[in-house]
Amino acid sequence: SQTIHQWPATLVQPVGSPLSLECTVEGTSNPNLYWYRQAAGRGLQLLFYSVGIGQISSEVPQNLSASRPQDRQFILSSKKLLLSDSGFYLCAWSQTGGVQPQHFGDGTRLSIL
Amino acid sequence: DQQVKQNSPSLSVQEGRISILNCDYTNSMFDYFLWYKKYPAEGPTFLISISSIKDKNEDGRFTVFLNKSAKHLSLHIVPSQPGDSAVYFCAARMKTSYDKVIFGPGTSLSVIP
């Protein structure tokens, strides 16, 4: 069966520090991968998606970037965190082809001080 | 501009009764609708979906109804159980170069024993 791992679960970082959140998927190949952010009282906002290695598309301009160095690895990064980057970050994957629901990791609660 | 709306931030229901969660959308290009359930500190989990060519889909205690002319869908849970207490996200898919899924802000359901 397929599983998705996302870490760390919580992270406290000072303003201006770098960020690296990692997500890996097991049990499937060539998945679509996604990074979302959930703000309080709002739905999930899609930040990045990837349909293959090295293929990254951004939905919203921001202080963050994403990379997919391997088929089942998705990384969310920032060179310098802002206070506004605080939030709950979720990684998700879906099968390609047809209509496939997305499957989410347990998220990372990021607090910027 | 919110394309997927869940106008009730919260809902309380007695155990054993029916829970009805509502969702409205604005974009007629959506071709698939999904409901996700989310517990605190966890990622959302896929619950049930419906194609835009159908008006009802049932899975156990969960039924989703779609009224395309009104751009409205609802999730019915019968009978409601305390373990159903969670945040429910309505989501809608638009087929682009990838599966673009737009999430509503969520409704927090509390099932009272």
Side-chain angles (χ1 to χ4, degrees):
Chain A
S1 65
Q2 303 92 353
T3 55
I4 179 169
H5 302 281
Q6 188 181 341
W7 67 93
T10 58
L11 188 61
V12 180
Q13 291 283 97
V15 169
S17 63
L19 173 74
S20 180
L21 301 180
E22 190 162 340
C23 172
T24 58
V25 181
E26 295 176 1
T28 187
S29 59
N30 197 31
N32 292 329
L33 296 172
Y34 310 84
W35 277 110
Y36 286 87
R37 175 165 57 200
Q38 183 187 7
R42 304 198 62 178
L44 306 177
Q45 181 187 34
L46 179 64
L47 303 175
F48 300 95
Y49 68 91
S50 171
V51 298
I53 295 174
Q55 300 178 61
I56 310 293
S57 295
S58 173
E59 276 289 302
V60 292
Q62 58 220 310
N63 184 40
L64 303 166
S65 62
S67 61
R68 185 171 177 173
Q70 298 180 48
D71 181 45
R72 290 167 292 171
Q73 184 185 27
F74 207 22
I75 298 171
L76 182 69
S77 304
S78 173
K79 291 182 180 176
K80 270 185 164 183
L81 285 167
L82 305 172
L83 280 174
S84 58
D85 291 324
S86 292
F88 190 55
Y89 289 84
L90 289 154
C91 179
W93 73 273
S94 70
Q95 303 268 25
T96 55
V99 181
Q100 305 288 348
Q102 295 175 12
H103 304 277
F104 288 83
D106 284 338
T108 295
R109 172 73 58 191
L110 176 64
S111 300
I112 310 299
L113 303 178
Chain B
D1 176 34
Q2 271 194 328
Q3 297 188 63
V4 178
K5 303 174 187 179
Q6 293 176 260
N7 293 321
S8 298
S10 62
L11 176 68
S12 287
V13 171
Q14 206 72 32
E15 180 179 3
R17 299 286 187 113
I18 183 172
S19 294
I20 299 176
L21 297 104
N22 293 304
C23 177
D24 297 289
Y25 62 95
T26 58
N27 194 329
S28 56
M29 297 296 291
F30 292 139
D31 65 348
Y32 221 81
F33 302 90
L34 309 96
W35 284 93
Y36 286 82
K37 174 180 177 180
K38 183 183 179 303
Y39 293 118
E42 292 183 9
T45 54
F46 170 68
L47 199 54
I48 192 170
S49 62
I50 187 167
S51 164
S52 60
I53 62 172
K54 299 200 170 182
D55 55 19
K56 178 182 174 182
N57 187 27
E58 192 171 351
D59 183 3
R61 296 186 297 113
F62 302 91
T63 303
V64 56
F65 295 92
L66 175 63
N67 182 333
K68 228 178 146 181
S69 60
K71 293 191 173 70
H72 175 84
L73 62 154
S74 60
L75 174 69
H76 292 211
I77 307 174
V78 184
S80 301
Q81 300 173 353
D84 296 329
S85 298
V87 176
Y88 289 79
F89 290 101
C90 172
R93 187 196 87 145
M94 185 186 314
K95 188 63 181 173
T96 60
S97 56
Y98 70 105
D99 279 350
K100 180 168 184 170
V101 176
I102 297 176
F103 287 81
T107 296
S108 178
L109 173 67
S110 295
V111 179
I112 305 161

